[in-house]
Amino acid sequence: MSRHSFVFSSRSLRSLELEREALERDRLHRRYQSMCVARAESFKPRGRGTLGPEPGFLCEDPLVHNALFTGDNQRVRQLFSNKWPQNLMLLASGHDLEWHSKKPGIWSLCYKQEFITPLQITASRGYDKCLQHLLTSGADVDFAPGGKTALHESCENSQSECTRLLLTYGANPNSISEDGYTPLHLCSAPESLRCAELLLRFGCNVNSRTEDKGDTALHIAARFALESHVQLYLDHGASVNRLNESGQSPLHCVCAQSHSSQDADRYFRVCHYLIEHGASVEALDEEKQSALHLACRTVNYRMVDLLLSKGIDVNRMDYGGNAPMHKALQAVAYKLEHEPERTVRSLLNYGSIRIWPGAIPKVLRFCCQSPRTIEVLVNVYDRLKVTDDWVESVPLKVLQEHQDFYESLFALSQTPRSLQHLARCAIRRHFEGHCQERIPQLPLPTFLKDYLLLQFQGYIS
């Protein structure tokens, strides 16, 4: 009966469409199976190390999968002789999710199926004996059906012995993955240092760039604060001032990367090493941010002190009109464990712009959990008009937690600043933006020098 000669309901029409889709899917599946059978029968040995005529033979045998994924060297030797297909592929679950439909009208979110090779499996898991057998049996060392070679996998997983084997058997150290990465770009863990050394020994280009961001290996090593990698790349001629697509140099990358307080020293050492080897502290990225802007945003006071000591402009504005001080204050509430008051103090001692007194209530709202930051900001003024807005800007919980400090702060509404503080302001005003340089040279006791440099007291006097 024709659909044009009978009135179908919308539900009936949908059922017909689903049935048609199921029939088409079943037809394609049978065709695919017949092609796989034809491929399997077409493989004939042509001498030692020679393999079938058609690349991309798909293997779904669970015994093969199990032997490779568990690193069973004995079983791998039994299954993979000199007659095995050179470009054998397997299906495995990737890292990305996508929608699949196994039954008409039913969809599920599953991990995307990716093509991988026996070399990729063994190289990524460090099964060097299995890998060596596959290589000696004639495996294509640069075969990459899923977009990454076995060398990419071994470097990404820091498998140095597998990396050595692959390079020895002719793997291309400059091969580019589907995502635009060379194996050297994937050496992003401290344990991958040996892999990076091997790649460079076998002729890898240390200044090659990723396709998406234009990063070099030095950008990546700086971003993750890999000290040994940074030294290795610079020793092999890495360009210390090369910019990526965002206009960032490796120095920008190390200053911009958010990190824990436990890693602060490591990031500082990488920053110091880059500057020692000629990194420009005045370079600006596409948003006109200097390394100081980025270091203030991550609130690493060691890096901030280092950059300021190199003469970087402490008051340069970026495209958004923010000076480094603004970046530091914006991050205070989120970086309390980094002691943000140290960053703010350093900026002020090197001549940073002060906060407009009318904006102090707003600063109190965002930075009140760091009383020392408020103390430093207030102590650069010889007088301030404390209003009710100041009190209302600090939550009751914070007031109770830091009661002594805020009582001393709000007492300024009725009490003038001490003569000692007024003298401090006069001396700092005399030195303008050179307090950090000039005050330590004064013939004064250490405690007075510290006081002039805004040493923390925990209260306002």
Side-chain angles (χ1 to χ4, degrees):
M1 182 181 293
S2 171
R3 63 183 295 176
H4 300 290
S5 62
F6 188 82
V7 179
F8 285 88
S9 66
S10 59
R11 180 176 296 180
S12 300
L13 288 173
R14 179 57 181 161
S15 298
L16 287 173
E17 292 294 336
L18 292 175
E19 185 176 355
R20 186 180 295 109
E21 290 178 6
L23 290 172
E24 180 65 16
R25 193 181 297 110
D26 186 59
R27 184 184 67 80
L28 293 173
H29 183 65
R30 288 197 303 271
R31 181 183 175 188
Y32 170 74
Q33 285 184 325
S34 64
M35 289 174 62
C36 288
V37 171
R39 269 188 192 176
E41 292 177 350
S42 69
F43 279 103
K44 294 181 181 179
R46 300 181 304 189
R48 182 176 181 84
T50 58
L51 309 164
E54 226 177 307
F57 177 75
L58 183 64
C59 174
E60 298 182 350
D61 190 335
L63 291 177
V64 176
H65 285 238
N66 186 65
L68 290 170
F69 280 103
T70 59
D72 189 338
N73 187 41
Q74 183 177 356
R75 181 59 61 88
V76 167
R77 288 180 175 274
Q78 293 173 354
L79 293 172
F80 296 92
S81 63
N82 292 334
K83 301 177 182 179
W84 72 284
Q86 181 181 15
N87 292 335
L88 185 70
M89 298 186 305
L90 298 89
L91 276 175
S93 296
H95 300 290
D96 299 324
L97 291 168
E98 66 178 8
W99 290 100
H100 287 276
S101 176
K102 295 183 179 179
K103 293 183 179 180
I106 300 178
W107 293 82
S108 59
L109 194 61
C110 305
Y111 283 102
K112 183 179 179 180
Q113 295 289 298
E114 296 179 347
F115 289 113
I116 57 173
T117 67
L119 287 187
Q120 287 176 276
I121 296 171
T122 53
S124 65
R125 286 161 175 76
Y127 302 147
D128 53 293
K129 293 182 180 179
C130 296
L131 178 64
Q132 185 165 14
H133 174 72
L134 297 174
L135 290 169
T136 56
S137 297
D140 186 346
V141 71
D142 286 323
F143 184 47
K148 292 166 65 175
T149 67
L151 187 58
H152 284 96
E153 295 284 357
S154 67
C155 292
E156 186 174 15
N157 292 279
S158 305
Q159 303 294 348
S160 58
E161 181 58 24
C162 292
T163 298
R164 186 191 65 80
L165 283 170
L166 290 165
L167 291 168
T168 302
Y169 278 84
N172 180 8
N174 291 306
S175 58
I176 300 176
S177 70
E178 186 178 42
D179 296 328
Y181 290 81
T182 67
L184 192 63
H185 294 137
L186 299 178
C187 294
S188 57
E191 299 79 16
S192 65
L193 177 63
R194 177 60 178 160
C195 295
E197 292 173 344
L198 289 165
L199 289 168
L200 293 170
R201 183 187 303 174
F202 278 82
C204 179
N205 180 8
V206 72
N207 285 315
S208 61
R209 297 157 62 96
T210 62
E211 290 184 0
D212 56 348
K213 297 180 180 179
D215 286 334
T216 65
L218 187 58
H219 283 90
I220 296 171
R223 187 173 292 125
F224 292 103
L226 304 177
E227 298 176 71
S228 299
H229 288 68
V230 169
Q231 295 175 16
L232 175 68
Y233 298 155
L234 290 174
D235 289 343
H236 281 79
S239 177
V240 73
N241 285 313
R242 181 161 295 188
L243 305 181
N244 61 15
E245 296 296 331
S246 300
Q248 292 187 338
S249 68
L251 182 62
H252 285 103
C253 290
V254 69
C255 292
Q257 184 65 26
S258 180
H259 53 271
S260 66
S261 56
Q262 291 81 6
D263 293 328
D265 282 337
R266 185 159 55 90
Y267 276 83
F268 164 73
R269 289 194 296 270
V270 171
C271 178
H272 187 266
Y273 194 79
L274 289 171
I275 292 175
E276 277 189 335
H277 284 75
S280 172
V281 296
E282 293 291 352
L284 304 177
D285 64 12
E286 63 180 6
E287 296 181 4
K288 299 303 179 184
Q289 296 181 114
S290 68
L292 182 60
H293 284 92
L294 302 173
C296 287
R297 192 175 66 186
T298 56
V299 200
N300 188 322
Y301 69 86
R302 297 173 182 85
M303 289 198 296
V304 169
D305 285 342
L306 175 63
L307 292 167
L308 290 169
S309 69
K310 299 299 179 180
I312 195 168
D313 188 348
V314 70
N315 288 316
R316 180 183 290 276
M317 299 287 185
D318 64 9
Y319 266 151
N322 291 313
M325 176 62 79
H326 299 129
K327 294 288 186 180
L329 293 179
Q330 290 165 8
V332 167
Y334 312 103
K335 299 285 187 178
L336 294 176
E337 71 280 4
H338 286 259
E339 300 179 274
E341 65 273 10
R342 292 177 177 267
T343 294
V344 174
R345 184 180 66 181
S346 293
L347 291 171
L348 291 169
N349 285 335
Y350 276 95
S352 171
I353 55 174
R354 300 181 298 177
I355 299 300
W356 175 55
I360 290 181
K362 182 178 180 180
V363 174
L364 275 169
R365 280 196 295 274
F366 288 99
C367 304
C368 60
Q369 296 181 64
S370 176
R372 284 187 167 188
T373 300
I374 304 301
E375 177 187 343
V376 170
L377 292 172
V378 169
N379 278 339
V380 294
Y381 294 95
D382 55 3
R383 63 180 66 86
L384 283 169
K385 184 179 180 181
V386 180
T387 65
D388 292 340
D389 290 340
W390 288 38
V391 181
E392 294 171 359
S393 298
V394 183
L396 179 61
K397 182 180 178 180
V398 178
L399 282 173
Q400 294 172 344
E401 186 178 353
H402 306 285
Q403 183 176 356
D404 292 342
F405 171 77
Y406 283 109
E407 283 182 354
S408 68
L409 174 64
F410 298 145
L412 295 181
S413 61
Q414 301 175 347
T415 306
R417 301 301 300 265
S418 66
L419 182 60
Q420 185 181 33
H421 171 72
L422 296 177
R424 170 169 62 181
C425 290
I427 294 173
R428 290 181 60 86
R429 189 162 49 248
H430 175 73
F431 290 130
E432 293 184 350
H434 302 283
C435 292
Q436 189 66 47
E437 176 187 355
R438 303 284 177 79
I439 289 177
Q441 300 175 5
L442 295 176
L444 295 173
T446 301
F447 77 93
L448 282 180
K449 293 179 183 178
D450 291 340
Y451 180 77
L452 292 173
L453 291 172
L454 306 175
Q455 183 66 31
F456 310 112
Q457 294 179 296
Y459 60 91
I460 302 295
S461 61

